[in-house]
Amino acid sequence: MGNFSHTAFKAMAATALALTCSMAFAQAKEVKLGYALPIASHYGAGANAWAETTEKESKGTLKFRQFPSSALGGERELVESLQLGTVEAAIVSSGPLSNFVPEVGAMDIPFLFRDSAHARHVLDGPIGQGLLDKFKGRGLIALAWGEQGFRHVTNNKRAVEKPEDLKGLKLRTMENPVHITAFRTFGASPTPMSWPEVTGALQQGTIDGQENPLSVIVSSKLYQVQKHLTLTGHVYSPVAILVSPAFWNGLTPEQQVAVRDGAKAAAAATRKYVEDLDKKAVDELKTNGMQVVVLSDKSPFQKALDPAYKQYASKYGKDLLDKIAAEK
Ligand code: PAF
């Protein structure tokens, strides 16, 4: 009898525990979070920080499920899925964003920002926050600006040391009109392409090169398919931390705070990851066989873009560009 009641008690306790766990699981809302790069990247660092902060602050009522390495499609498709409400959250580059929120294109102008501190100051200040607000009118909720770092050119044809060396190079660009204009002005042959196709196209030689920050060149192992790297640092690459309005509007005010805090933690984590990686990436890439050109003077590249700047100023307004340049 004594044995029986002990066994019965253990069975009841186990059932009660399983029930509590399954109730907590049933209550947790799943947050599908998509991004283009592997977990071992600045995006992965951002995603982990977002999940950790939000799950904790929401007391387990929100549970993240990560889809790294473009598992939910290219960045443009990912943003469309947010608009449709089939994906809850995403970390994306500015690549496709100006096709959704045209004003964001101003942030893609080459040599606009002096350094990361300048870019962060502008993005975290009234200009950047004003841009985040504009996403609402386009069926998206933007919560914070993270970072990829400054973009550099890689290719398989030659060492790029001066702007003329870009002439005729078939370079993959993001599907981004501002970048396409810049590379056309350099005399390259810009080929806009969705990220999931890029490594294959480089392998097959249908394009000669591409441009991305060190954070991407390292995490996507582009040294396996690219020989030359020139540290052009031609444009700062911001990252938007986005959620779908359908998801956002279904949250309680407390959950919204938890998601927003998580997005801020994600943005900070991408910036920290890039900062740390930038210190050692060039050595790592050289060790992996890349030939690296360090430019002692980038001004010829900037000068070569003079005709493009006229177009940018008429599109985004000279006042805005001067205001950004004047930010300390
Ligand atoms: O080059 C791009 O498309 C982006 O920088 C990438 C690699 C998808 C990261 O957002």
Side-chain angles (χ1 to χ4, degrees):
M1 183 70 174
N3 262 352
F4 171 79
S5 50
H6 184 65
T7 312
F9 176 75
K10 268 171 63 181
M12 275 164 59
T15 311
L17 186 68
L19 209 66
T20 316
C21 290
S22 72
M23 272 168 65
F25 182 74
Q27 277 161 13
K29 197 179 265 202
E30 185 177 82
V31 185
K32 291 189 287 300
L33 166 59
Y35 51 94
L37 298 168
I39 292 189
S41 71
H42 48 305
Y43 283 10
N48 288 338
W50 196 355
E52 201 178 305
T53 305
T54 301
E55 287 176 6
K56 192 164 160 216
E57 280 193 26
S58 71
K59 303 193 174 53
T61 62
L62 296 173
K63 178 92 189 111
F64 277 64
R65 187 164 158 215
Q66 296 191 31
F67 293 84
S69 303
S70 307
L72 300 177
E75 291 194 317
R76 180 194 269 268
E77 287 163 272
L78 197 51
V79 178
E80 283 165 358
S81 303
L82 292 176
Q83 287 181 318
L84 292 170
T86 52
V87 171
E88 285 77 29
I91 299 179
V92 292
S93 73
S94 63
L97 290 183
S98 56
N99 300 305
F100 296 88
V101 184
E103 297 86 341
V104 170
M107 301 299 110
D108 294 316
I109 295 177
F111 302 107
L112 177 72
F113 296 115
R114 291 182 298 278
D115 50 28
S116 305
H118 181 205
R120 292 173 184 184
H121 177 70
V122 171
L123 290 167
D124 294 344
I127 294 176
Q129 299 309 297
L131 286 174
L132 292 181
D133 288 343
K134 294 212 183 298
F135 282 74
K136 280 191 210 112
R138 308 288 162 152
L140 294 161
I141 306 280
L143 298 174
W145 290 112
E147 172 173 293
Q148 299 218 76
F150 280 85
R151 302 179 80 89
H152 307 290
V153 173
T154 68
N155 84 97
N156 276 333
K157 281 264 147 93
R158 53 183 168 262
V160 171
E161 291 174 340
K162 46 191 188 314
E164 295 74 39
D165 296 330
L166 290 169
K167 282 201 186 344
L169 280 186
K170 201 156 184 218
L171 285 185
R172 178 267 176 177
T173 65
M174 299 198 285
E175 296 160 286
N176 179 311
V178 172
H179 288 193
I180 295 168
T181 298
F183 281 95
R184 194 169 291 137
T185 309
F186 279 134
S189 172
T191 311
M193 190 182 280
S194 169
W195 177 247
E197 296 164 39
V198 174
T199 302
L202 289 170
Q203 252 157 2
Q204 286 158 18
T206 48
I207 47 173
D208 302 318
Q210 63 85 54
E211 50 80 60
N212 251 304
L214 295 173
S215 57
V216 175
I217 300 171
V218 170
S219 63
S220 298
K221 300 189 170 60
L222 290 186
Y223 48 80
Q224 292 177 343
V225 286
Q226 291 281 263
K227 187 162 170 209
H228 300 284
L229 162 66
T230 299
L231 298 174
T232 44
H234 52 278
V235 67
Y236 176 80
S237 199
V239 169
I241 315 286
L242 303 172
V243 293
S244 97
F247 164 65
W248 182 255
N249 295 332
L251 298 176
T252 64
E254 294 75 23
Q255 287 174 322
Q256 287 185 346
V257 171
V259 171
R260 192 182 286 283
D261 286 352
K264 286 185 187 152
T270 59
R271 289 176 178 182
K272 170 85 175 67
Y273 191 100
V274 167
E275 233 165 61
D276 292 345
L277 179 129
D278 275 359
K279 290 182 195 137
K280 46 184 198 238
V282 172
D283 285 342
E284 192 179 328
L285 294 172
K286 281 184 183 163
T287 308
N288 280 292
M290 283 196 103
Q291 295 185 9
V292 182
V293 174
V294 181
L295 298 169
S296 54
D297 179 13
K298 291 183 190 164
S299 62
F301 285 83
Q302 193 167 359
K303 185 95 197 61
L305 291 180
D306 272 351
Y309 287 124
K310 290 198 180 72
Q311 291 182 43
Y312 298 145
S314 78
K315 188 159 180 192
Y316 297 106
K318 187 171 177 313
D319 286 356
L320 174 67
L321 306 188
D322 288 347
K323 198 166 162 205
I324 292 174
E327 290 279 344
K328 293 288 169 250

